[in-house]
Amino acid sequence: MYNYQQSIGGKWREASTGGTWDVVNPATEEVIRTVPFGNEEDCRLAIDAADAAFREWSRKTAYERAAHLKRAAQLMRERNADLARTTVLESGKPLLQAKGEWGVAADLFEWFAEEAKRAYGRWVPSRSPAKRQLVIKQPVGVVGLITAWNFPAYNVARACAAALAAGCAVVIRPSEYTPLTAMEMVNILLEAGLAGGEVNLINGEPESMGQQMLRHPKCAKLHFTGSQRVGKLLMDGASKTVTRLSLELGGNAPVLIFPDVDLEQVAASAVTAKFRNGGQVCISPQRFFVHAAIAQKFASCVTSLVSKLRLGNGLEPECNVGPLINARQRDRVEEMVEVARSSGAAISIGGRRPSSQPRGYFYEPTVVTDLPAETPLFQDELFGPVMPLATFDDADHAIEQANSTRYGLSAYVWTNDLRTAFRTAERLEFGMVGVNEWTPQSTEVPFAGWKESGLGRESGAEGLEEYLETKLIALGGIS
C-alpha cells in the first residue's frame, strides 16, 4: 500500500549513491525493512524540487491549501490502526500510545489548515495623506525539516503541517531510526494532492544533509528537533548563511510536589507521565522535588505502582513500557543510573536490564531516591525509564534548584493552593509550566523552549508565524 523510498518532486526514488539502511525493531533487534540512505546530493535534488513547487503552492489561497491538508488529516484518522502499527515496529512504543500520536498528527494538519486562513496582515494609518501602508504575511520559502525518532509522526507533523499551511514547500529528513512513519505520512500527503514537489522526503547522512540545507541558497529555513550539541552546530552553520532556524533541543523538566495534594492520585499520574514512551519524551518529568512531609510515602507509592508496569513489545496488549530506541541509548541510561548508584543514590526498583527480555533494547522501569544533585540523572536530559526523586523543605530553595539547569522546556507544579501555584509557576524559568497537569502542550497553544532548549515556537498561532515573513507595502502619490 505504501512506498518506502525517498520522495523527490512527487516521484519515489532510491538514494543517488545506491546506499541503504536497515530499520531495526528495538523490541526484537530484527530488521523490519531496508530503505534508501543517501547524502547531500539527494538533499540538493529535494531542495531544488521544493523550490520549483513553491512558486505555485505559495500562490494558492489558504483555502485551497487547507483542502489538501484536511484531506490528509482525514486519511490519517481512517488508517490510524495500520499507521500506528508501523510506528510501534520501528520505535518500540506501546500501540495505544502510537495510535494517540497519529491522532495528534491528524489534528495538527487539520488545525493548521484552518489557522492559515487567519494569517492576517494589517492596514496602518499613515502620517501622510498621500501614502497608504499595508503589512502582509508571506511564506518564507523552502523549509528543511530534520526530526527526531521519539515521536516519528508528531515531530514531523508539528513542523510540516504549519509550513505547508503557510505556503512553504518542505524537505523532510526523518531520523534514520524511524523513517517508515514519515514515509507513510508522505504517502498520504501525496495521495491528498501534494504530488508536485510541495513535500519531499529524504533519508540519509544526517551531517551532510543538514549542511546542504544550510548551504543551499533556496533553503530559507531549517527546523531541527534533537540534541543541544547538534543544534549548536546548526547555529554555527546558519551564521554563515543567515538561514532562519527553529530548534527544539530537549529538556530536563523539574516537578515540584507540595504536601497539600492527593498523594496517591499524583503518584499514579506521575508514573504514567514519567514512563510514557519509555521516558523518551522531551517534556517528560525528570527531576522530582517532593516535599519532605510526604516524600517517603510518595516514594513508596510510586515504587509499588512501577512494579506493576509491564515491559515488552509494544504490540502486546498488556505492554505499557517498551524498549529504548537502540543499544546506545540503553547503554547511556544504564551508565547514568550506575553513576548515581556509585554516588550514594538508592535504587528502589529496577536499575538493570531485564532478564526476561534476552533480545531488544530494554531497561527496567527504575525509581532512584537519595540522589545527589550533581549526578547526570539530575544535570542531563535523561530520555529513559528512570524516575529520580529528591526532597525539599523550603519552596524558594526548590525553585532555585529547579531553575539550575541549562534546559528550559517544561516544568510541573502540583498543589491545591492557588497562591502557591501562581507563585511557583511564574518563577520557574521554563517555556511551558503544567500546574496539576502533565500535558501542558496541545495543538492550539505554543510549544516553547527557553534557555538552551531551543529557538522559536511550534504549534498554536505562534507555530504558523514561524513559517511566515512580514512584508510592508507602502503606496505613495495617492492624493
Side-chain angles (χ1 to χ4, degrees):
M1 182 177 181
Y2 295 115
N3 197 311
Y4 298 97
Q5 294 176 293
Q6 298 187 121
S7 178
I8 299 177
K11 295 182 171 58
W12 295 101
R13 55 186 295 165
E14 298 293 339
S16 59
T17 60
T20 60
W21 176 272
D22 290 338
V23 182
V24 173
N25 183 336
T28 65
E29 301 183 47
E30 296 172 347
V31 174
I32 309 164
R33 188 178 292 272
T34 299
V35 296
F37 194 79
N39 60 15
E40 69 272 13
E41 175 62 14
D42 300 273
C43 187
R44 183 189 67 79
L45 293 170
I47 294 173
D48 288 343
D51 179 55
F54 170 70
R55 297 159 202 166
E56 181 177 349
W57 179 248
S58 62
R59 293 190 185 107
K60 289 184 180 293
T61 69
Y63 294 83
E64 290 173 316
R65 294 194 296 268
H68 295 294
L69 300 183
K70 289 168 76 173
R71 173 60 179 156
Q74 178 186 354
L75 292 172
M76 291 175 196
R77 291 177 178 130
E78 291 173 355
R79 302 172 188 174
N80 180 279
D82 290 338
L83 295 167
R85 187 177 187 279
T86 297
T87 299
V88 172
L89 288 174
E90 65 178 352
S91 74
K93 66 181 59 182
L95 181 60
L96 188 63
Q97 294 179 25
K99 288 180 176 180
E101 181 180 348
W102 271 103
V104 174
D107 290 346
L108 285 161
F109 277 98
E110 181 178 61
W111 194 86
F112 278 113
E114 294 296 335
E115 184 65 12
K117 300 171 186 177
R118 291 178 284 277
Y120 303 129
R122 68 185 191 274
W123 187 271
V124 182
S126 171
R127 296 169 181 265
S128 168
K131 185 178 181 182
R132 303 293 183 268
Q133 300 173 140
L134 177 66
V135 180
I136 66 171
K137 300 291 185 179
Q138 292 184 304
V140 299
V142 175
V143 179
L145 311 178
I146 302 176
T147 59
W149 43 260
N150 59 327
F151 286 95
Y154 170 74
N155 286 336
V156 174
R158 186 177 60 184
C160 181
L164 289 172
C168 301
V170 300
V171 176
I172 304 166
R173 192 276 174 190
S175 168
E176 64 270 27
Y177 295 107
T178 55
L180 305 181
T181 294
M183 289 173 178
E184 292 188 356
M185 185 177 290
V186 170
N187 273 265
I188 286 175
L189 289 168
L190 297 182
E191 186 179 343
L194 286 83
E198 303 90 345
V199 57
N200 304 270
L201 182 142
I202 53 177
N203 187 57
E205 299 170 0
E207 183 177 358
S208 70
M209 286 182 167
Q211 290 303 313
Q212 180 63 229
M213 289 178 180
L214 291 173
R215 290 194 306 264
H216 199 297
K218 294 299 183 180
C219 187
K221 180 181 173 75
L222 175 57
H223 165 94
F224 172 74
T225 303
S227 69
Q228 286 184 346
R229 181 188 68 82
V230 175
K232 290 176 181 179
L233 290 173
L234 293 174
M235 289 181 73
D236 288 342
S239 70
K240 298 176 178 63
T241 56
V242 199
T243 301
R244 287 179 59 169
L245 293 176
S246 288
L247 303 175
E248 199 271 89
L249 305 179
N252 181 352
V255 183
L256 279 71
I257 302 177
F258 289 86
D260 59 349
V261 299
D262 181 332
L263 188 144
E264 292 184 354
Q265 184 271 326
V266 174
S269 64
V271 168
T272 300
K274 170 67 254 186
F275 294 98
R276 178 170 71 105
N277 198 24
Q280 299 170 117
V281 182
C282 55
I283 64 168
S284 176
Q286 178 167 328
R287 294 173 293 144
F288 284 79
F289 297 95
V290 186
H291 194 276
I294 59 171
Q296 186 173 352
K297 186 176 179 182
F298 182 85
S300 176
C301 192
V302 296
T303 299
S304 175
L305 291 165
V306 169
S307 72
K308 297 179 175 64
L309 294 176
R310 291 295 171 262
L311 194 66
N313 189 314
L315 294 177
E316 298 168 356
E318 67 277 8
C319 166
N320 43 32
V321 181
L324 296 170
I325 189 64
N326 53 38
R328 182 176 62 183
Q329 182 64 13
R330 179 197 58 200
D331 295 348
R332 176 180 174 275
V333 171
E334 187 173 48
E335 181 181 1
M336 292 172 79
V337 173
E338 289 309 310
V339 169
R341 195 197 308 263
S342 64
S343 300
I347 309 300
S348 298
I349 190 171
R352 62 184 181 181
R353 302 183 190 186
S355 57
S356 60
Q357 301 286 348
R359 294 185 64 80
Y361 310 121
F362 292 97
Y363 193 79
E364 288 187 358
T366 300
V367 177
V368 182
T369 62
D370 304 323
L371 188 66
E374 67 275 8
T375 60
L377 280 183
F378 252 40
Q379 296 299 320
D380 301 330
E381 184 174 36
L382 176 52
F383 244 55
V386 180
M387 188 175 193
L389 305 181
T391 63
F392 76 92
D393 289 296
D394 180 71
D396 290 336
H397 182 59
I399 293 170
E400 183 181 341
Q401 284 188 297
N403 288 334
S404 64
T405 173
R406 64 188 188 275
Y407 293 97
L409 188 58
S410 62
Y412 304 93
V413 180
W414 285 84
T415 178
N416 287 324
D417 186 288
L418 188 61
R419 288 172 298 180
T420 299
F422 270 110
R423 182 175 177 272
T424 307
E426 290 174 353
R427 293 176 60 194
L428 287 168
E429 298 167 356
F430 297 82
M432 296 176 286
V433 179
V435 178
N436 300 335
E437 165 70 66
W438 294 114
T439 53
Q441 85 290 354
S442 65
T443 301
E444 61 275 4
V445 293
F447 189 99
W450 288 13
K451 296 187 279 191
E452 293 186 32
S453 281
L455 298 173
R457 305 290 182 265
E458 301 296 331
S459 299
E462 293 85 352
L464 183 70
E465 186 71 25
E466 289 288 323
Y467 300 96
L468 294 169
E469 291 278 23
T470 299
K471 176 182 284 186
L472 167 66
I473 299 176
L475 307 173
I478 290 177
S479 64

